[in-house]
Amino acid sequence: MPSAPKPTACLALADGTLFYGQGFGATGQSTAELCFNTAMTGYQEIMTDPSYAGQIVTFTFPHIGNTGVNPEDDETGDPVAEGMVVKWMPTQSSNWRAVQELSDWLASRGRIAVGGIDTRRLTRAIRQQGAPHVAMAHDPEGNFDVAALVAAARGFSGLEGLDLAKNVTCAQSYRWNEMRWAWPEGYAPQTNPKHKVVAVDYGAKRNILRCLASAGCDVTVLPATASYDDVMAHNPDGVFLSNGPGDPAATGEYAVPMIRGLLDKTELPVFGICLGHQMLALALGARTIKMNHGHHGANHPVKDIETGKVEITSMNHGFAVDSQTLPEGVQETHVSLFDGSNCGIRMAGRPVFSVQHHPEASPGPQDSFYLFERFAASMNAA
């Protein structure tokens, strides 16, 4: 009977627990918070989602890499997640859109991955003990300084108090007119926009910008640190607050004053997603909290309290708005049916609203696209 292959990767948790497997992608070491994602598809979109900055992703679905990768599915230019952990090593891809193998793609972009891990055991540990701090190493020779890895995991500062939006935002403003992918032409440009929208980039996914364009918006993207005057200089019909990584309270140090300026000095429609939702909540006077292990997946049921409709949504967040702190005049509109946590708010009597989930990710597949149409309709009304 052949012996098991020598491990070429090691995942060390801060509590000293070790997982050994086979490395692929880049070699080296990374330190991060570990989360798990339950989505059955979209590993490339997940790895390139700026919201995963500072995190390594464990995929609970075992078939990762089987459709390869292609540049059309990137949510930003390069992978942002620090690494990936999977049950089975990727096999040769089989998909008509694939242009590269997952392992080669990760290696060319400096991201470490490990396969052959008991992801069920790892996911249970995350659920029971909270998202751990970890260090992961890939060495083709299988030589690991375990004590140093555990020490690196313990030395990781964590995401609380960490502003990561500045690390993933755009360096300068730019225009966006590409709409959602459609057969057979792919991504078509928006040639007849009706609304001028400023999108504040805290780590924006490209597909969110495409959805805005598909809803009739002429989109100008500004960096996360944009001031109220920067936003208003573009004379927008509405303002969009994007998704992003890190602790919302830390990003709020500079984002909240800008949003408060919009709320106090204008009647402009405002729409936020994910971190943008949390930024709006902070600007309105609510607070955010760190979750035990967060919500990461494409099968999360969210209830629209006002209509009773249940949407199947995509989630990616480790912090949440504390609904108990919502002030008078701010209504909770959506809740998670998994744990009752807040998933949406709006200002009473004003076109200002936001959601925690990702309506652009299409897990339903179109359950939540109405939110972009609602934003466009509010600009029509204004």
Side-chain angles (χ1 to χ4, degrees):
M1 184 175 179
S3 60
K6 183 179 180 181
T8 59
C10 179
L11 177 70
L13 277 58
D15 66 1
T17 304
L18 301 175
F19 291 82
Y20 290 97
Q22 299 301 312
F24 61 98
T27 57
Q29 180 179 323
S30 61
T31 308
E33 180 184 275
L34 184 69
C35 66
F36 65 85
N37 189 299
T38 59
M40 297 174 68
T41 60
Y43 53 82
Q44 183 182 343
E45 290 91 336
I46 291 165
M47 290 299 293
T48 56
D49 181 348
S51 297
Y52 281 102
Q55 293 179 303
I56 291 172
V57 184
T58 298
F59 289 86
T60 62
F61 187 65
H63 301 286
I64 300 299
N66 56 352
T67 56
V69 295
N70 75 84
E72 287 188 331
D73 291 346
D74 287 341
E75 290 290 1
T76 191
D78 282 304
V80 180
E82 294 293 331
M84 64 159 54
V85 180
V86 298
K87 171 67 173 176
W88 293 337
M89 292 290 287
T91 56
Q92 184 175 355
S93 64
S94 177
N95 187 276
W96 67 275
R97 296 177 66 235
V99 299
Q100 196 175 13
E101 298 295 328
L102 174 61
S103 182
D104 297 336
W105 179 74
L106 291 169
S108 67
R109 286 162 171 78
R111 288 298 183 266
I112 299 170
V114 54
I117 298 291
D118 185 349
T119 52
R120 288 193 176 205
R121 178 187 166 203
L122 191 55
T123 299
R124 280 198 302 269
I126 296 170
R127 284 181 60 86
Q128 292 166 3
Q129 301 163 26
H133 299 170
V134 301
M136 186 167 72
H138 174 200
D139 177 10
E141 301 300 319
N143 299 317
F144 305 109
D145 185 338
V146 171
L149 284 174
V150 173
R154 290 175 178 169
F156 180 63
S157 62
L159 300 186
E160 287 191 78
L162 204 58
D163 170 31
L164 292 174
K166 284 182 179 177
N167 297 348
V168 296
T169 189
C170 55
Q172 59 188 27
S173 64
Y174 62 93
R175 299 281 292 278
W176 184 277
N177 70 346
E178 187 177 85
M179 297 193 297
R180 292 189 296 169
W181 194 93
W183 175 264
E185 64 270 15
Y187 296 121
Q190 170 59 267
T191 58
N192 187 32
K194 299 177 177 62
H195 316 289
K196 287 182 63 177
V197 168
V198 165
V200 183
D201 175 16
Y202 303 119
K205 295 169 65 178
R206 289 173 177 171
N207 216 41
I208 290 179
L209 303 179
R210 293 186 188 110
C211 286
L212 289 170
S214 293
C217 300
D218 175 4
V219 183
T220 299
V221 184
L222 297 186
T225 53
S227 67
Y228 168 79
D229 290 336
D230 294 334
V231 172
M232 296 307 296
H234 293 271
N235 193 28
D237 300 318
V239 177
F240 174 76
L241 310 173
S242 88
N243 64 295
D247 188 336
T251 304
E253 292 292 328
Y254 55 85
V256 163
M258 182 277 289
I259 299 169
R260 283 183 177 156
L262 292 173
L263 300 178
D264 294 343
K265 301 175 185 179
T266 79
E267 295 291 325
L268 286 175
V270 177
F271 175 31
I273 289 175
C274 194
L275 183 62
H277 162 67
Q278 297 161 357
M279 290 298 96
L280 178 61
L282 290 173
L284 289 168
R287 292 196 298 269
T288 55
I289 52 176
K290 182 81 163 71
M291 304 174 77
N292 179 62
H293 55 271
H295 287 169
H296 308 275
N299 58 347
H300 287 245
V302 167
K303 184 174 182 178
D304 184 331
I305 298 172
E306 297 173 318
T307 65
K309 175 185 173 184
V310 176
E311 306 162 30
I312 300 302
T313 73
S314 177
M315 292 276 204
N316 172 25
H317 60 107
F319 292 81
V321 173
D322 183 355
S323 59
Q324 301 301 310
T325 65
L326 292 174
E328 186 176 352
V330 179
Q331 301 171 352
E332 184 172 52
T333 59
H334 297 75
V335 294
S336 165
L337 293 185
F338 279 160
D339 60 9
S341 59
N342 173 264
C343 290
I345 59 172
R346 70 176 175 89
M347 284 187 72
R350 289 188 56 181
V352 175
F353 64 99
S354 59
V355 292
Q356 182 65 71
H357 50 285
H358 282 265
E360 84 291 343
S362 303
Q366 304 295 332
D367 290 10
S368 302
F369 186 74
Y370 72 91
L371 291 161
F372 293 100
E373 295 169 337
R374 177 184 293 175
F375 183 44
S378 67
M379 288 185 284
N380 274 334

